[in-house]
């Protein structure tokens, strides 16, 4: 055990410290790259979000148009049905 303690000289500890610093610098560079790529992903999600909002707006306007058409058609059918009923009643008198 004593021999192991004596083998860790100041020079060896300094080299170990430098190697650890180099390793942590490499880890920092990798995290910087990860952060850059996440920023790219965020930009892509922003574009997807904008596209979905545009699609939602377009679908809402189409559904509103379809709703108007159905209401007008139903009103026309009720008017035609009412006119047919009045005609049927008028022919029986």
């Amino acid at each position: 055990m004593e021999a192991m303690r004596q083998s860790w000289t100041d020079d060896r500890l300094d080299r170990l410290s430098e190697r650890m610093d180099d390793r942590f610098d490499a880890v920092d560079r990798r995290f910087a790259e990860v952060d850059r790529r996440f920023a790219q992903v965020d930009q892509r999600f922003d574009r997807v979000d904008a596209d979905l909002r545009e699609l939602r707006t377009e679908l809402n306007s189409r559904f509103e148009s379809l709703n108007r058409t159905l209401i007008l058609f139903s009103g026309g059918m009720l008017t035609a049905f009412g006119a047919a009923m009045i005609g049927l009643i008028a022919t029986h008198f």
Side-chain angles (χ1 to χ4, degrees):
M1 195 71 159
E2 187 69 28
M4 212 187 285
R5 284 189 190 152
Q6 289 176 356
S7 65
W8 282 103
T9 64
D10 286 342
D11 289 337
R12 284 188 69 196
L13 287 172
D14 289 342
R15 282 195 309 259
L16 175 64
S17 176
E18 288 172 7
R19 283 195 341 242
M20 288 179 70
D21 287 343
D22 291 342
R23 292 290 189 149
F24 279 114
D25 289 342
V27 169
D28 287 343
R29 284 191 300 273
R30 284 185 170 177
F31 273 116
E33 177 67 19
V34 168
D35 288 343
R36 186 185 66 76
R37 293 190 69 185
F38 270 121
Q40 290 175 341
V41 170
D42 285 343
Q43 289 174 351
R44 289 178 185 160
F45 274 123
D46 289 343
R47 284 195 306 257
V48 168
D49 188 42
D51 289 346
L52 286 175
R53 286 177 194 222
E54 182 181 329
L55 181 62
R56 184 180 300 140
T57 301
E58 182 181 336
L59 284 173
N60 282 340
S61 68
R62 287 187 180 198
F63 279 123
E64 287 173 7
S65 176
L66 178 63
N67 193 24
R68 251 189 322 275
T69 302
L70 287 173
I71 289 172
L72 289 174
F73 180 75
S74 297
M77 291 297 290
L78 285 175
T79 303
F81 179 73
M85 289 302 292
I86 290 172
L88 183 65
I89 292 172
T91 57
H92 283 288
F93 286 117

